Each structure stands twice: as C-alpha cells, then as structure tokens.
C-alpha cells in the first residue's frame, strides 16, 4: 500500500440507543481506502453498511473511534466545517436518488457548484460536460418525475461528481433499478473511476455488482469479516 | 346672542383657531399662549373639549386593540404558511444539508422566502386598499341615513359624511410593522429547516 489513505476508520463504534436498548451497529470497525479505489461494501442486512457510509460522509458521528478524510479528523471539525467538507470533498449517491423534485436534471447537477459559488459560465460548461458524460445529453430540462429510475440515478451521479470530490459514497445505488440498468450504472461508475480517478465506495447486496468491484469489504455484525482486492 | 350679552362687534370671549393638522394643536396653543401673555389663555382642543377628547381616545384605544389583534392573526397566518411550507420540504432540506448546504445557508434561504412574502404582501395590500381608500377619502361614507341628520358627540357636531384619511407616518408604521411581523414569523421555520437530520430524511424504509 503506497501513499496516504483517502479515508481511514480506526476502531469505530456506533451505538444507537433505542428506548432502553443499545444497538451496536458498528463494533470496532477499522478500514482504509486508498485514492482511486473502486470498493464495494457488502454484508447481510443490518451489518452496518449504511451506518459506515453515513459516518464517512459526516452525516452521522461515531460513538467511539475516529474517522479521517484526506488526513482531516472528522471529530475535530465543527458543523460548518463538516458542511463545507460534504460540499467540497464528498459526493453522495443515494438508493432513492434523492434529487430535488422541483429542479430540472441540469439544475440538480448544478446545485452543488452553485453553493460552492462557482460563476455561471463555468457552471454551465461543467454541467453540460457532466450530463454528457453520464449519458443524459438532451434531457437537461427534464424534472426527476419525467426521468426513469436509471436516468435519475445518472443525474445523481453527475451531481455527486460535479465538485470533483475526494470520494463518492453510494449506499445501494443500484437497489432500485433493474439488473440491466444496474449494469450500465456500474459501467458509468467504472468509467469515471478509470478515466477521472474518482474514488468510489458503494454498498450493495447484489452479487452481480460485487463482481465488478476491484475491492470487496464484507461486513458482519458491525465489523470487517473479509477484505479482498482483485 | 352677542346683543343679549352686550358684546360689541369686535369683542369675543373665545376665538377658535382651525388648524390643518390636529396633531399640531398642542404646539400651536403653547406658542399662542406665550405670545398672548397673561391676559388671555390659548388651550389645545383636547383641553377645551375634554369630553370629545375622551371619546376619541376611547375610539383610538379600541382601534389600537383591534389592530394588535389583527396583527397577531396575520402573523399567525404567515407563520403557518411558512412553517407548513418548511415541513413539506424537510426531505429536500435534508438532501441539501447532505450535499453541503450549511444550516445557516438554509436559514437564509427560508428567511429570503419570508422577505418575498412580506414584499408581495405589501404590494398586494397596497393595490387592494388603494381603490377603497381613495373613494372613502374623497367621496366618503354618507351616514345621514343611519343617524338621521346631525351627529353630535359631547356637544360637538360631526359631519354625517364620514371621510377617512391616514397620516403618511402611520401608513409607513403599519407597513413596517407588517414587514417586521412577517420576518419574525419566518425565524422559527427558517431555523427548523437547518435542524433537519439528513440521515433521517434520506433513509429508505
Ligand atoms: N437511527 C437508528 N436507530 C436505531 N438503530 C439503528 C439506526 N440506524 C441503524 N440502526 C441499526 O443499526 C444496525 C446497522 O444498520 P445499517 O443500516 O447500517 O445496516 P445495513 O448494513 O445498511 O443494512 P441494510 O442492508 O438493511 O441496508 C441495524 O441493526 C439497524 O437496525
Ligand atoms: Mg443500508
């Protein structure tokens, strides 16, 4: 392993309190992700995949242990810094797409650049290029409700990579689409990974999707059960 | 009357001075009083007509109470509108927070919406009231039929044709109050928008 990891989790635990019972979602998870990796996190339901991705994405915070993104300790950042980190360094792709329903495909992809304060001309150029890359040329003015699930997820991928993030976190990105669409979405992610060096970390239940990952981390009961590169 | 009391043509016990703006009466009376010296006294209308003054004060007090009540109702209405519109968009706010909006930015976004609401309300209210106001201030409302002739309060005859007028200063005050009420009603919904937990809103169930 050469160079510094882009993500490192050290002995991370996450305990949810539900009423009077403690749910140990993660029990001492340690994991490092290198820049440019294309990693699938798999494991049975409830093994902690979503929890792990939410923690790395600074949407949730650890009960104990530590997480660093590009060497920055998340636990040391305040709310505002975490927002900026999510805006500039992390791209999210969600299972349920989670696009803004009132915005067009173009505007959805543009919104991160807009918050970043990128000027209009640069935004336009970048978004047109992005939508072209994800194969949505000509559909810029469609709203999510006028797009298929696969197309919506392409918009979400365009939105996720718009800011040139350090890593794209995708929680079951193909769970809501048919297997053919899943194949093409994965192909798109592979292309972005190979050609632009975007680091992807995604969770999945789908053996067909795991098949195409270059590293598969298997979680069981909130810990790493196996970790193989190929 | 004059003959009866034995007054000459140029004699009087009381001289009424009419002003354009009753709000000046205190000042004008004070100045007149000083210039007239000790022999004569000048008093503002509310001192010479205490009963009329009391009647008007009562009316004004009632109106202020009504205005406050209406203001509270209006503020509640605006609050409700903004709050519902925020609650309906919790999911969107969750997504926005997830992809890098800061709570402060969402706060400003929702506050901007209340600014627009206030601006829209002001323009709308102005356009709606302009017609009736112009009519009531020029033609007025003829209450002769209601009161059957003259109207008198505390011995002072009133014109049965009711005309309204609003001091520009009061109009500005009302507008300012409406804007402040709108903005104040927006604070909680705006704060609430930034408090959404993205993890909750993006969860798939
Ligand atoms: N907000 C929460 N409150 C309480 N318990 C939670 C919460 N979120 C997750 N859990 C629990 O933590 C454990 C890990 O959940 P997590 O969602 O990370 O699993 P997962 O691997 O993503 O599962 P799935 O494959 O079903 O998506 C589960 O037992 C879950 O019930
Ligand atoms: Mg999950």
């Amino acid at each position: 392993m050469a160079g510094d990891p882009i993500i490192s989790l050290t002995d991370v635990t996450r305990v949810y309190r539900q009423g009077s019972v403690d749910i140990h979602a993660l029990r001492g998870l340690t994991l490092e992700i290198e820049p440019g990796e294309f990693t699938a996190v798999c494991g049975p339901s409830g093994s902690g995949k979503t929890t792990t991705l939410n923690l790395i994405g600074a949407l949730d915070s650890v009960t104990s242990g530590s997480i660093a993104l590009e060497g920055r300790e998340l636990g040391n950042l305040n709310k505002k810094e975490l927002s900026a980190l999510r805006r500039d360094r992390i791209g999210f792709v969600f299972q349920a797409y989670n696009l803004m329903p009132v915005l067009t495909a173009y505007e959805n992809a543009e919104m991160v650049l807009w918050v970043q304060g990128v000027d209009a001309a640069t935004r336009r150029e970048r978004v047109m290029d992005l939508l072209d890359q994800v194969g949505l040329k000509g559909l810029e003015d469609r709203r999510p409700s006028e797009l298929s699930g696969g197309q919506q997820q392409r918009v979400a991928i365009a939105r996720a990579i718009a800011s040139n993030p350090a890593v794209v976190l995708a929680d079951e990105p193909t769970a809501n689409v048919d297997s053919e669409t899943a194949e093409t979405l994965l192909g798109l992610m592979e292309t972005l990974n190979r050609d632009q060096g975007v680091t992807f970390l995604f969770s999945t239940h789908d053996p067909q999707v795991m098949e195409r990952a270059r590293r598969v981390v298997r979680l069981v009961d909130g810990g790493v059960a196996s970790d193989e590169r190929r | 009357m004059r003959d009866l009391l034995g007054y000459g043509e140029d004699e009087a016990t009381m001289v009424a001075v009419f002003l354009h703006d009753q709000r000046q009466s205190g000042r004008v009376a004070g100045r007149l009083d000083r210039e007239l010296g000790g022999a004569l006294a000048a008093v503002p209308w509310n001192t010479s007509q205490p009963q009329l003054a009391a009647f008007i004060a009562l009316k004004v007090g009632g109106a202020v109470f009504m205005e406050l009540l209406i203001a509270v109702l209006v503020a509640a209405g605006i609050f409700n509108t903004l709050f519902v519109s925020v609650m309906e968009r919790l999911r969107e706010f969750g997504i926005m927070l997830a992809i890098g909006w800061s709570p402060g930015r969402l706060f400003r976004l929702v506050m901007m919406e209340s600014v627009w609401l206030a601006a829209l309300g002001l323009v709308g209210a102005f356009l709606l009231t302009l017609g009736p106001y112009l009519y009531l201030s020029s033609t007025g409302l003829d209450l002769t039929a209601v009161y059957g002739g003259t109207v008198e309060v505390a011995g002072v005859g009133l014109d049965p044709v009711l005309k309204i007028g609003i001091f520009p200063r009061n109009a500005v005050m009302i507008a300012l109050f409406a804007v402040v009420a709108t903005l104040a009603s927006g604070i909680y919904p705006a704060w609430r928008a930034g408090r959404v937990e993205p993890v909750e809103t993006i969860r798939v169930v």
Side-chain angles (χ1 to χ4, degrees):
Chain A
M1 261 194 239
D4 294 326
I6 204 160
I7 301 168
S8 67
L9 293 89
T10 312
D11 213 13
V12 170
T13 71
R14 178 66 171 98
V15 182
Y16 293 106
R17 240 204 128 78
Q18 201 154 56
S20 56
V21 279
D22 283 348
I23 298 164
H24 295 263
L26 296 181
R27 309 167 188 259
L29 184 78
T30 296
L31 181 67
E32 286 192 343
I33 303 289
E34 305 295 319
E37 280 197 308
F38 196 67
T39 309
V41 178
C42 64
S45 188
S47 57
K49 304 182 292 294
T50 297
T51 304
T52 304
L53 294 179
N54 286 347
L55 288 172
I56 296 171
L59 295 176
D60 192 4
S61 42
V62 299
T63 303
S64 72
S66 69
I67 299 179
L69 193 91
E70 298 184 303
R72 295 174 79 192
E73 198 62 57
L74 298 190
N76 295 340
L77 303 179
N78 63 29
K79 261 195 143 156
K80 206 169 168 177
E81 292 167 328
L82 290 174
S83 288
L85 187 83
R86 286 198 296 266
R87 182 189 67 202
D88 301 332
R89 307 309 301 149
I90 300 169
F92 287 100
V93 176
F94 308 102
Q95 179 180 340
Y97 323 131
N98 283 327
L99 300 174
M100 302 295 277
V102 295
L103 301 183
T104 62
Y106 179 91
E107 292 161 343
N108 266 287
E110 185 188 30
M111 62 191 290
V112 179
L113 298 174
W114 186 79
V115 220
Q116 282 185 319
V118 176
D119 69 89
T122 314
R123 280 200 319 255
R124 173 139 204 102
E125 198 179 322
R126 173 96 180 117
V127 174
M128 292 314 271
D129 181 44
L130 282 168
L131 291 178
D132 189 18
Q133 283 180 56
V134 300
L136 289 178
K137 209 172 189 155
L139 301 180
E140 296 90 357
D141 296 329
R142 300 262 192 107
R143 289 179 202 282
S145 59
E146 300 159 345
L147 295 169
S148 71
Q151 289 169 334
Q152 288 185 57
Q153 203 60 308
R154 285 163 186 269
V155 177
I157 291 172
R159 178 179 69 185
I161 62 171
S163 62
N164 279 319
V167 60
V168 173
L169 302 171
D171 194 15
E172 314 214 22
T174 60
N176 280 19
V177 298
D178 60 72
S179 60
E180 203 178 312
T181 309
E183 282 292 314
T184 56
L185 283 177
L186 217 70
L188 170 63
M189 285 161 62
E190 271 174 351
T191 308
L192 294 169
N193 172 257
R194 190 181 54 233
D195 298 350
Q196 301 189 17
V198 183
T199 307
F200 276 92
L201 181 62
F202 52 93
S203 72
T204 186
H205 275 121
D206 188 349
Q208 189 192 342
V209 172
M210 284 173 231
E211 206 48 35
R212 299 183 58 168
R214 287 206 303 281
R215 180 179 173 191
V216 178
V217 175
R218 187 172 176 78
L219 299 185
V220 174
D221 284 338
V224 179
S226 70
D227 182 355
E228 39 180 290
R229 285 190 167 84
R230 49 191 183 221
Chain B
M1 190 84 149
R2 284 174 185 280
D3 292 341
L4 203 70
L5 293 171
Y7 282 133
E9 275 294 319
D10 52 357
E11 291 177 316
T13 51
M14 202 191 273
V15 175
V17 179
F18 287 93
L19 302 177
H20 283 295
D21 187 343
Q22 59 91 1
R23 292 176 298 180
Q24 305 288 338
S25 69
R27 268 221 333 261
V28 173
R31 244 185 46 212
L32 278 177
D33 204 40
R34 253 176 283 126
E35 286 183 12
L36 288 171
L40 291 165
V43 293
W45 67 272
N46 43 358
T47 310
S48 66
Q49 304 285 345
Q51 278 165 298
L52 180 65
F55 172 78
I56 289 175
L58 191 71
K59 279 279 173 207
V60 169
V64 166
F65 177 75
M66 279 303 287
E67 278 161 18
L68 277 178
L69 197 70
I70 290 170
V72 168
L73 289 176
V74 166
I78 295 164
F79 175 84
N80 193 49
T81 305
L82 284 169
F83 190 65
V84 167
S85 95
V86 164
M87 296 311 278
E88 275 173 347
R89 287 178 296 165
L90 285 189
R91 191 179 168 83
E92 277 91 325
F93 291 136
I95 300 166
M96 290 162 92
L97 285 169
I99 65 175
W101 253 254
S102 63
R105 201 176 186 116
L106 279 188
F107 181 86
R108 290 197 294 277
L109 187 82
V110 177
M111 282 310 283
M112 270 315 285
E113 293 178 355
S114 38
V115 170
W116 276 110
L117 204 64
L120 217 69
L122 270 189
V123 173
F126 179 75
L127 294 179
L128 266 174
T129 48
L130 190 61
Y133 177 78
L134 288 180
Y135 176 81
L136 285 175
S137 60
S138 58
T139 311
L141 205 58
D142 194 345
L143 296 175
T144 322
V146 181
Y147 294 114
T150 55
V151 188
E152 216 175 75
V153 173
V156 177
L158 298 179
D159 189 345
V161 177
L162 198 64
K163 287 188 183 181
I164 64 164
I166 189 162
F167 298 120
R169 205 183 64 120
N170 287 7
V172 169
M173 285 294 286
I174 291 169
L176 213 65
F177 184 83
V179 170
V180 169
T182 308
L183 296 186
S185 324
I187 291 176
Y188 178 73
W191 176 83
R192 185 70 182 73
R195 296 282 303 176
V196 174
E197 278 299 332
V199 175
E200 301 296 322
T201 52
I202 62 181
R203 174 182 293 151
V204 189
V205 267

